């Protein structure tokens, strides 16, 4: 399977690429060329959120094989002061880095489907517990995480050429130092996330639009 990962240079994207690359061809859409060796083939598209079509053009230039699946692991994470106190500029910035990026990734999947080089494209967006709980200090992530599922549901209702799916990881992912693990918080390992991702992508028809992965 040829899998394109958005957010490939982040903690989750990098980990998924390492876990999935032994069995799949992985292409990572990145804003700049990685300095170190990666488990994915980097394709540099600095403005992919603003110009999703540029991803299609870049994949053609590198003569990439037909894309079977897209994984979106985009969006920031933080714990800060209250959402309202952070102000509208920060809220807009969170929207741009999170929900807007997921919209652009959906647009790429639709464009890949229109290319007709693959069977029905599988699109998997990762989400987290903040999308179902009002997380104090990262409220905008809760807002846009909840909106992400509806984005996918609307996109799924409007197409018959892309399988839209979401994996909600319902605990912190191990190895990410942005997570507060004080108090004995349980984590989910990247291999466990990769196993769930593989299950959704390989048996798409057996999964609802949104699937939860717990500890």
């Amino acid at each position: 399977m040829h899998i394109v990962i958005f957010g490939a240079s982040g903690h989750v994207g990098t980990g998924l690429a390492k876990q999935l690359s032994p069995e799949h061809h992985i292409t990572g859409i990145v804003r700049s060329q990685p300095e170190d060796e990666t488990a994915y083939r980097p394709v540099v598209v600095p403005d992919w959120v603003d110009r999703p079509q540029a991803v299609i053009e870049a994949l053609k230039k590198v003569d990439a094989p037909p894309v079977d699946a897209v994984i979106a692991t985009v969006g920031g994470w933080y714990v800060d002061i209250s959402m309202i106190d952070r102000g509208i500029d920060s809220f807009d910035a969170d929207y741009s880095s999170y929900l807007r990026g997921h919209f652009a990734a959906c647009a790429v999947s639709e464009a890949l489907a229109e290319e007709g080089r693959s069977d029905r494209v599988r699109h998997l967006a990762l989400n987290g517990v903040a999308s179902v709980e009002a997380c104090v200090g990262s409220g905008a992530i809760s807002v846009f995480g909840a909106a992400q599922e509806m984005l996918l549901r609307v996109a799924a209702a409007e197409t018959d050429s892309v399988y839209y799916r979401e994996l909600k990881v319902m605990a912190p992912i191990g190895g990410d130092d942005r997570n507060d693990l004080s108090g004995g918080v349980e984590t989910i390992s990247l291999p466990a996330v990769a196993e769930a991702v593989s299950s959704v992508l390989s048996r798409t028809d057996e999964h609802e639009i949104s699937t939860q992965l717990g500890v």
Side-chain angles (χ1 to χ4, degrees), residues 97-118:
S97 68
Y98 195 104
L99 193 60
R100 195 165 182 262
H102 279 282
F103 180 93
C106 290
V108 170
S109 288
E110 293 286 350
L112 289 169
E114 290 177 6
E115 289 282 306
R117 297 177 60 203
S118 300

Side-chain angles (χ1 to χ4, degrees), residues 21-208:
S21 59
E23 297 183 5
H24 305 284
H25 178 82
I26 310 295
T27 297
I29 305 302
V30 294
R31 297 180 186 275
S32 59
Q33 186 67 33
E35 296 182 0
D36 300 324
E37 185 177 350
T38 64
Y40 58 86
R41 180 182 187 179
V43 173
V44 180
V45 187
D47 56 348
W48 68 266
V49 174
D50 294 321
R51 295 197 311 120
Q53 188 60 36
V55 175
I56 308 302
E57 297 165 1
L59 291 172
K60 288 180 179 178
K61 285 182 180 179
V62 300
D63 197 26
V67 176
D68 302 294
V70 170
I71 301 176
T73 65
V74 298
W77 174 257
Y78 59 83
V79 177
D80 198 359
I81 60 176
S82 75
M83 176 181 68
I84 302 301
D85 288 341
R86 290 184 84 237
I88 191 65
D89 289 341
S90 293
F91 191 81
D92 287 343
D94 289 334
Y95 163 74
S96 294
S97 68
Y98 195 104
L99 193 60
R100 195 165 182 262
H102 279 282
F103 180 93
C106 290
V108 170
S109 288
E110 293 286 350
L112 289 169
E114 290 177 6
E115 289 282 306
R117 297 177 60 203
S118 300
D119 292 333
R120 194 169 180 179
V121 175
R122 284 158 274 190
H123 180 108
L124 178 61
L126 266 66
N127 210 339
V129 67
S131 65
V132 296
E133 295 182 9
C135 290
V136 175
S138 48
I141 305 305
S142 290
V143 171
F144 299 129
Q148 176 185 307
E149 180 178 339
M150 186 55 69
L151 169 69
L152 297 177
R153 289 187 179 278
V154 172
E158 294 179 339
T159 186
D160 58 3
S161 57
V162 178
Y163 286 112
Y164 285 103
R165 297 293 185 270
E166 175 190 66
L167 179 66
K168 282 188 170 77
V169 183
M170 301 300 288
I173 296 176
D176 190 341
D177 58 12
R178 293 173 297 179
N179 292 316
D180 178 9
L181 303 180
S182 60
V185 177
E186 290 188 86
T187 63
I188 297 178
S189 69
L190 275 166
V193 175
E195 182 179 356
V197 165
S198 294
S199 175
V200 174
L201 292 181
S202 63
R203 300 190 296 276
T204 308
D205 289 338
E206 298 178 12
H207 292 83
E208 301 294 332

